[in-house]
Amino acid sequence: MRTLTKSVSNKLLAAGALALSLALPAQAAINVLTCEPEWAALTTELAGDKASVSSATNALQDPHRVEARPGLIARTRNADLLVCTGLDLEAGWLPLLVQQSGNAKIAKGQPGYFEAGSFVPRLDVPAKLDRAEGDVHAFGNPHVHLNPHNIALISAQLAKRLAAIDPANAAYYAARQADFAGRWSQAMRKWETQAAPLRGLTLVEHHRNMEYLMSWLGMRQVGTLEPKPGVEPSAAQLGQLLAQLQQQPAKLVLRAAYQDERASNWLSQRAHIPAVVVPFTVGADKESGDLFALFDTTVQRLTQAVK
Amino acid sequence: MFKHSVMTVAIAAAFALPLSAGAAESPELAAIRAQIQEMKQSYEARLQALEQRLQDAQAAVAEAQNAAASAQQANAPAAPAAPAPAAPTTAAAGDNSFNPSISLVLGGTFSNLSQDPSTYRFGGFMPPVGEVGPGSRSFNLGESELTMAANIDPMFAGQLTFALTGENEASVEEAFVRTRELGGGTNVKAGRFLSGVGYLNAQHSHTWDFVDAPLAYQAFFGGQYKPDGVQVRWLAPFNTFLEVGAEVGSGRSFPGNDRNKNGFNATSVFAHAGDDIGDSASWRAGLSYLRTGAADRAYEFDGIPNAFSGKSSIWMADAVYKWAPNGNPTRTNFKLQGEYMRRKESGTLAAGELADAYASTQSGWYLQGVYQFMPNWRAGLRFDRLSSGTPFIGLVDSGALGMDAFPALVRYKPQRSSVMLDWSPSEFSRLRLQFARDEARPGQTDNQVYLQYIMSLGAHAGHTF
């Protein structure tokens, strides 16, 4: 009987708290602006409705070349937390946004600035910096998110950062991170099993933005459509690449959904290899609505192409 | 012990399994099931432990890379908030690691002008002071811009831009300090800077879409308005871009001049609003007002010396619209921009020994569109127009002098049409061909052809919208 009253009173308390929380203005969700859609998806996984999350770029935009548009400056002004890849990927526009927004919380070095790329081991750190080599990233290849192990590393750090920004909900973020990490490691095992046939696969990519995906699945790049990073492919250079593929054949030509299809189709027809498009990030197509779907689709497209 | 655990597992299994199956199974079967379950669990735990070790190892690699990067460069990515690894290498950074970042812009033109550039003027306007006109014929070294910028401390950042001209002169284009973390949408700048009035004014000449500044900028600002003073900008906390700003300055820059006066001799205010239209388009529009003054701002035309003293105020309206399919400007993009300026000057105009009242209202505008039709290639079209109006000249009104004493001020409407084509093999280099038909001088047409290069070296800051 006593336990019954206790449980009833507990329920009443809970109901009261719920009513109270509904009546009072909802605890203002923290405002998170991410530079790329994958970080918006990850933040939503960890923060649920405790954060209002938006991405500065969409999945079909080249994250290297974005304009510091007025609407973006306004959104940067109101952000409590900025989640970006960093590693100079956004060097052409992010510093301007942060400076013009006059938002001190999200300046580099502040807790409000989260640089995802700094938490994972980088590939392609250049030994020498020279613009004659094209658009070189001094801190290494910034496209870190296509290895799901990196997502796992970043997710742990991001949950900590969310808790630091919004200590009231620290336990909530930690619980969601634990839940996400569990589902994520299961999914990774599934993808790794599915992608086993891709080990040792050789491919041509458009820009050097698939390095982390290749290193994860044991694939190897034998050429890029861009002659140098950030330089658009020309007919002559594509011809050279085609000749080079006679010596070193590739099984497919790979590009991200945001990249121009023409060069990759050209090579696909002449080298008689399939042109494969991967979503590259969350939201690029309707099969890639969240982080899990992104990798499901990526692994599926690759394995289908080599069947 | 074993039996006990088998029993518990068996009971647990009996509850977990459907009743019918549980009832039919022998204890041995249940035991096997339990063992499988146990193995699965321990396998799972070991996998997780291994994964954790892998993650820890990866995080350590990331931190080592961060340490190496910050040892190499002062402006490395912010170190993660995690406890810093005991990496002695970070201390090894040399004296250079705190040096400002340096960027250099090299420019030059080859010009072919059908009229003598030394006779260049805007019909109906007092000759402005500054960078005016088409420049010299043949090969010209343009302005080489040398910029050094760095954070000073957590509070301030600073920047210096030299302009080195082909005439072997060095001038300070910009030299300012700015606040870094005032917060609340506020930024303060002090020193010499490109004023926030209008649209084009705040942009360095190497980012312009044409070789030269619009006629209105040349006639009213002598190129660009660069006050020595203080600027405050505030960005409103809305989801739509709305920025207001105010500047006070010495008033030494044209249309003002050095008045040997204390206090704020030039003030300007501006407001800009902007937003996105879907993923592909954005706009920004603004209104600005500048108030300054001049004392004995002298000019000479046809050998007759004149000087203006009094107030000068300018209203500006500006708008820019940019379009890029889905926000990707790399392949194709389009930009339409236009500005209108209206200047009122009132005071006295002196001609030799005589001086009397003077008042003028003059205006100018330009409209330009630039289209990138394929990667690296852009074409642009610009139309410029100025209207001098008819000034009130007291000396003429009273009959003391005839209008022939002020030949520069005879009413005229200068205009110019320009087309350009440029090619940018990368974001760091640009080659441009421009043709202009310039009718700034009354009754004369100057056909101008320019070939220009603009190259940028070193650290390269992003371009504003």
Side-chain angles (χ1 to χ4, degrees):
Chain A
M1 193 57 199
R2 198 184 286 162
T3 41
L4 186 67
T5 19
K6 202 175 170 188
S7 93
V8 166
S9 68
N10 272 349
K11 270 182 190 156
L12 274 175
L13 259 177
L18 187 71
L20 202 69
S21 69
L22 286 177
L24 291 172
Q27 176 74 42
I30 54 167
N31 216 328
V32 183
L33 179 67
T34 73
C35 286
E36 289 87 20
E38 61 268 21
W39 308 131
L42 182 61
T43 312
T44 308
E45 293 279 358
L46 300 181
D49 57 1
K50 301 277 187 249
S52 101
V53 185
S54 74
S55 172
T57 57
N58 68 41
L60 297 179
Q61 270 178 307
D62 182 345
H64 300 87
R65 307 219 178 136
V66 173
E67 276 219 73
R69 313 206 289 179
L72 267 182
I73 297 172
R75 279 157 71 192
T76 312
R77 159 80 161 90
N78 299 328
D80 299 307
L81 175 64
L82 195 61
V83 181
C84 294
T85 301
L87 309 180
D88 278 355
L89 175 63
E90 304 97 354
W93 50 282
L94 187 61
L96 266 176
L97 283 186
V98 173
Q99 189 203 316
Q100 296 202 347
S101 71
N103 181 348
K105 284 186 279 188
I106 52 158
K108 214 170 211 187
Q110 296 292 329
Y113 177 70
F114 182 87
E115 187 176 25
S118 70
F119 298 106
V120 300
R122 268 86 69 190
L123 302 173
D124 300 342
V125 178
K128 129 178 179 241
L129 291 177
D130 185 347
R131 290 238 168 89
E133 300 303 313
D135 206 349
V136 176
H137 292 289
F139 303 109
N141 192 314
H143 308 282
V144 298
H145 70 282
L146 279 189
N147 181 341
H149 291 276
N150 288 345
I151 301 269
L153 282 169
I154 291 162
S155 137
Q157 297 292 338
L158 183 56
K160 281 187 209 160
R161 189 64 64 88
L162 285 165
I165 299 277
D166 180 17
N169 291 313
Y172 179 79
Y173 299 131
R176 283 192 74 115
Q177 147 66 13
D179 173 59
F180 172 76
R183 287 184 291 136
W184 193 251
S185 59
Q186 266 186 4
M188 282 199 286
R189 251 170 273 147
K190 178 186 78 183
W191 295 322
E192 280 160 16
T193 319
Q194 288 169 345
L198 298 175
R199 198 150 283 279
L201 180 86
T202 52
L203 57 85
V204 171
E205 61 179 332
H206 188 112
H207 171 75
R208 292 182 63 90
N209 57 359
M210 305 287 178
E211 315 308 301
Y212 293 88
L213 178 68
M214 293 188 296
S215 93
W216 172 45
L217 298 178
M219 304 184 293
R220 197 159 55 83
Q221 177 249 77
V222 292
T224 56
L225 297 177
E226 285 181 345
K228 288 197 169 151
V231 180
E232 288 292 310
S234 75
Q237 282 146 346
L238 285 176
Q240 268 178 20
L241 178 62
L242 187 62
Q244 183 198 319
L245 289 184
Q246 306 287 322
Q247 313 297 319
Q248 261 191 318
K251 286 274 166 37
L252 54 91
V253 49
L254 184 62
R255 71 167 196 276
Y258 75 83
Q259 284 162 330
D260 190 15
E261 59 179 20
R262 289 177 302 183
S264 122
N265 286 348
W266 186 95
L267 191 73
S268 161
Q269 280 163 18
R270 283 167 185 76
H272 309 292
I273 52 176
V276 180
V277 192
V278 289
F280 192 70
T281 185
V282 176
D285 50 37
K286 56 182 188 301
E287 292 88 32
S288 319
D290 63 19
L291 281 169
F292 292 92
L294 167 67
F295 284 94
D296 281 338
T297 314
T298 304
V299 169
Q300 191 205 348
R301 300 237 178 109
L302 284 167
T303 46
Q304 256 174 12
V306 294
K307 242 172 209 169
Chain B
M1 187 67 194
F2 175 68
K3 265 200 176 144
H4 180 73
S5 71
V6 167
M7 267 308 281
T8 27
V9 169
I11 292 165
F15 276 108
L17 291 169
L19 270 178
S20 57
E25 246 174 40
S26 69
E28 274 131 291
L29 262 179
I32 291 170
R33 267 181 216 285
Q35 272 183 334
I36 290 174
Q37 191 62 31
E38 225 172 283
M39 271 173 80
K40 257 191 183 168
Q41 271 167 6
S42 84
Y43 172 71
E44 193 77 16
R46 276 172 59 195
L47 252 174
Q48 266 175 19
L50 276 175
E51 236 161 54
Q52 189 56 48
R53 274 174 60 192
L54 179 68
Q55 284 203 5
D56 292 348
Q58 282 178 318
V61 173
E63 274 181 15
Q65 282 182 329
N66 288 342
S70 53
Q72 250 176 18
Q73 302 205 14
N75 54 352
T89 45
T90 39
D95 292 340
N96 287 339
S97 53
F98 291 108
N99 280 356
S101 66
I102 295 178
S103 69
L104 186 59
V105 177
L106 298 177
T109 49
F110 176 76
S111 319
N112 194 313
L113 311 168
S114 71
Q115 300 282 346
D116 178 0
S118 68
T119 67
Y120 194 82
R121 70 184 187 101
F122 300 111
F125 286 77
M126 291 186 198
V129 179
E131 289 156 30
V132 175
S136 311
R137 286 168 154 164
S138 183
F139 287 99
N140 285 293
L141 188 61
E143 271 186 0
S144 311
E145 267 179 35
L146 179 62
T147 299
M148 285 168 263
N151 291 335
I152 295 165
D153 59 16
M155 274 299 291
F156 299 106
Q159 181 181 326
L160 169 65
T161 302
F162 282 122
L164 308 168
T165 67
E167 293 81 46
N168 302 328
E169 289 165 346
S171 63
V172 176
E173 177 104 341
E174 278 193 293
F176 61 81
V177 293
R178 64 172 173 84
T179 57
R180 293 189 60 229
E181 37 187 52
L182 272 187
T186 313
N187 277 312
V188 179
K189 237 184 217 182
R192 177 177 300 174
F193 48 85
L194 296 172
S195 162
V197 298
Y199 173 69
L200 201 60
N201 196 72
Q203 304 194 352
H204 282 275
S205 55
H206 73 266
T207 66
W208 293 351
D209 295 321
F210 290 84
V211 172
D212 38 18
L215 293 186
Y217 271 84
Q218 295 187 23
F220 296 136
F221 286 156
Q224 268 175 306
Y225 179 58
K226 288 174 276 196
D228 295 357
V230 178
Q231 180 194 64
V232 181
R233 281 170 185 258
W234 181 69
L235 182 65
F238 306 141
N239 281 333
T240 305
F241 176 83
L242 177 68
E243 178 194 59
V244 291
E247 291 159 358
V248 288
S250 67
R252 273 189 286 271
S253 353
F254 187 83
N257 69 354
D258 194 350
R259 279 171 283 161
N260 191 19
K261 233 177 101 182
N262 286 321
F264 303 156
N265 300 326
T267 51
S268 47
V269 286
F270 53 87
H272 298 293
D275 208 353
D276 300 341
I277 310 167
D279 282 329
S280 302
S282 317
W283 61 273
R284 202 194 89 162
L287 269 181
S288 317
Y289 178 71
L290 164 67
R291 190 189 159 89
T292 181
D296 289 322
R297 192 180 72 202
Y299 71 90
E300 196 176 302
F301 185 70
D302 271 359
I304 307 168
N306 292 130
F308 166 77
S309 305
K311 289 184 295 190
S312 185
S313 61
I314 302 179
W315 272 106
M316 296 175 79
D318 64 273
V320 59
Y321 168 88
K322 290 191 189 184
W323 172 88
N326 200 34
N328 283 313
T330 319
R331 270 193 63 193
T332 57
N333 65 68
F334 176 68
K335 178 173 164 190
L336 182 69
Q337 82 187 54
E339 293 186 71
Y340 173 80
M341 294 162 83
R342 187 176 185 84
R343 182 176 71 179
K344 282 194 173 194
E345 294 200 312
S346 62
T348 55
L349 186 62
E353 304 290 292
L354 302 170
D356 204 344
Y358 169 85
S360 72
T361 303
Q362 303 180 310
S363 63
W365 57 270
Y366 74 91
L367 183 67
Q368 69 182 49
V370 175
Y371 179 54
Q372 179 170 314
F373 52 93
M374 59 184 282
N376 311 337
W377 286 89
R378 308 189 312 159
L381 196 61
R382 175 180 67 184
F383 186 74
D384 276 286
R385 182 146 196 155
L386 295 176
S387 171
S388 75
T390 307
F392 170 81
I393 305 172
L395 289 171
V396 175
D397 198 57
S398 66
L401 289 171
M403 198 59 206
D404 54 351
F406 305 97
L409 302 181
V410 176
R411 180 188 175 91
Y412 192 66
K413 287 189 171 175
Q415 67 174 47
R416 179 179 66 178
S417 314
S418 322
V419 286
M420 76 87 189
L421 177 73
D422 67 24
W423 176 60
S424 313
S426 78
E427 55 189 310
F428 307 108
S429 59
R430 176 165 285 168
L431 299 174
R432 177 180 288 146
L433 173 68
Q434 179 174 321
F435 174 79
R437 184 181 162 86
D438 186 320
E439 293 161 278
R441 307 168 178 90
Q444 283 182 350
T445 301
D446 187 13
N447 291 316
Q448 307 165 339
V449 185
Y450 300 97
L451 262 168
Q452 184 190 30
Y453 67 84
I454 306 168
M455 313 267 163
S456 113
L457 295 76
H460 190 67
H463 291 163
T464 50
F465 180 80

